[in-house]
Amino acid sequence: MHPFTLILPAYNEEKILRANVEKLTAYLTPICSDYEIIVVSNGSDDSTDKIGTALQEQWLHVKFFSLPKRGVGRAFKKGISHARYDRIVFMDADLSSDLSFIKESNQLLDKYVLVLGAKIKGLQNRGFMRKMGSCVFFLSVLMVMGLKYVDYAPGAKAYQKNFLMKYFEYIDDYTSFVLNLTFIATVKKEAIIEIPILCEDLRKSRFNLYKEAISKYRGLFTLKLKQLLGKL
Ligand SMILES: Nc1nc2c(ncn2[C@@H]2O[C@H](COP(=O)(O)OP(=O)(O)O)[C@@H](O)[C@H]2O)c(=O)[nH]1
Ligand SMILES: [Mg+2]
């Protein structure tokens, strides 16, 4: 595997953070000689920050950062700015997406600037409203922006770092950045691929789903407005 940086966002993940960093280390060390894991917490009010700091002290390949304000995009930007390698993978800290995405996307980044993991296989404990919401959002993106991809959630996405640096301003503080980056990559005729991946996510979401829905649509319409005003 090519050297890469794995960014894990962590909000109140005291129950799983240590075990999952250890699980990743056990999975990655035999298959990759150079990699790092950057954990970024923001706004956590449990012992996530304490655990992150201890992991950083214990392992050379782990870096930990804590920011005051919430927002996955903020965490992502912090991770990118400290990334040592030119391939960047972003996974949810609950490791709900199959770890094979890391290996598969690593190869694909030879050719593609952006690899979207579409979490459409496996068991997901999503209520009816949430499933409907995802479906409606997919249709909205298709209609408003003409993009045919399925999964714009931050988890299980991989990027060439050069691409992220070039379009850094498209990374918002919350969760619209995947959509923004997918759109700008499409406009600039950069190579993107979406691959189906297995995702088993049975726990309760860290997001407030109503706020999240508002934020996603605000992101979508902001992008459309910028396009209409020729500001992309
Ligand atoms: N750094 C950071 N991570 C967050 C924030 N909100 C959620 N996360 C992380 O985002 C990832 C996905 O969260 P999760 O609750 O599993 O989302 P869901 O499965 O999409 O409902 C997890 O690693 C969370 O800890 C935040 O404000 N900051
Ligand atoms: Mg999850």
Side-chain angles (χ1 to χ4, degrees), residues 138-149 152 179 183 186 220 224 227:
F138 158 73
L139 290 172
S140 310
V141 173
L142 179 65
M143 277 160 36
V144 177
M145 303 309 303
L147 294 176
K148 293 185 185 137
Y149 302 99
Y152 303 99
L179 173 62
F183 185 70
T186 305
L220 174 60
K224 184 70 194 175
Q227 182 196 30

Side-chain angles (χ1 to χ4, degrees), residues 67-230:
L67 303 170
K69 285 194 198 158
R70 271 200 78 173
V72 178
R74 282 196 181 99
F76 186 41
K77 284 185 274 193
K78 183 74 180 169
I80 298 165
S81 59
H82 289 271
R84 190 193 303 181
Y85 300 115
D86 56 14
R87 293 171 196 236
I88 296 186
V89 184
F90 193 86
M91 297 285 274
D92 289 343
D94 57 358
L95 303 186
S96 47
S97 299
D98 199 275
L99 299 188
S100 59
F101 175 76
I102 301 174
K103 209 169 154 189
E104 213 177 323
S105 62
N106 191 279
Q107 286 303 319
L108 290 166
L109 288 175
D110 283 346
K111 215 167 120 194
Y112 299 94
V113 298
L114 167 56
V115 183
L116 301 163
K119 301 180 273 302
I120 51 180
K121 296 197 284 184
L123 293 175
Q124 298 199 30
N125 190 10
R126 305 277 196 240
F128 175 74
M129 288 306 286
R130 194 155 180 213
K131 282 190 187 145
M132 275 297 289
S134 300
C135 205
V136 172
F137 189 69
F138 158 73
L139 290 172
S140 310
V141 173
L142 179 65
M143 277 160 36
V144 177
M145 303 309 303
L147 294 176
K148 293 185 185 137
Y149 302 99
V150 175
D151 190 335
Y152 303 99
K157 303 290 177 282
Y159 309 84
Q160 285 182 11
K161 189 177 174 191
N162 282 344
F163 165 70
L164 292 175
M165 297 313 286
K166 196 161 160 193
Y167 299 110
F168 202 77
E169 70 199 272
Y170 290 88
I171 307 173
D172 70 314
D173 288 343
Y174 301 97
T175 54
S176 296
F177 61 87
V178 180
L179 173 62
N180 296 349
L181 290 167
T182 306
F183 185 70
I184 197 67
T186 305
V187 170
K188 303 290 180 190
K189 300 199 171 13
E190 301 271 15
I192 312 173
I193 187 168
E194 188 167 49
I195 56 172
I197 56 162
L198 186 73
C199 177
E200 303 259 325
D201 200 357
L202 300 171
R203 68 174 198 164
K204 198 170 170 287
S205 181
R206 292 289 180 275
F207 293 98
N208 173 319
L209 298 178
Y210 293 103
K211 273 197 198 161
E212 183 52 24
I214 293 169
S215 161
K216 271 175 138 178
Y217 278 94
R218 190 189 296 131
L220 174 60
F221 290 113
T222 306
L223 189 63
K224 184 70 194 175
L225 194 66
K226 278 191 183 161
Q227 182 196 30
L228 292 173
L229 296 173

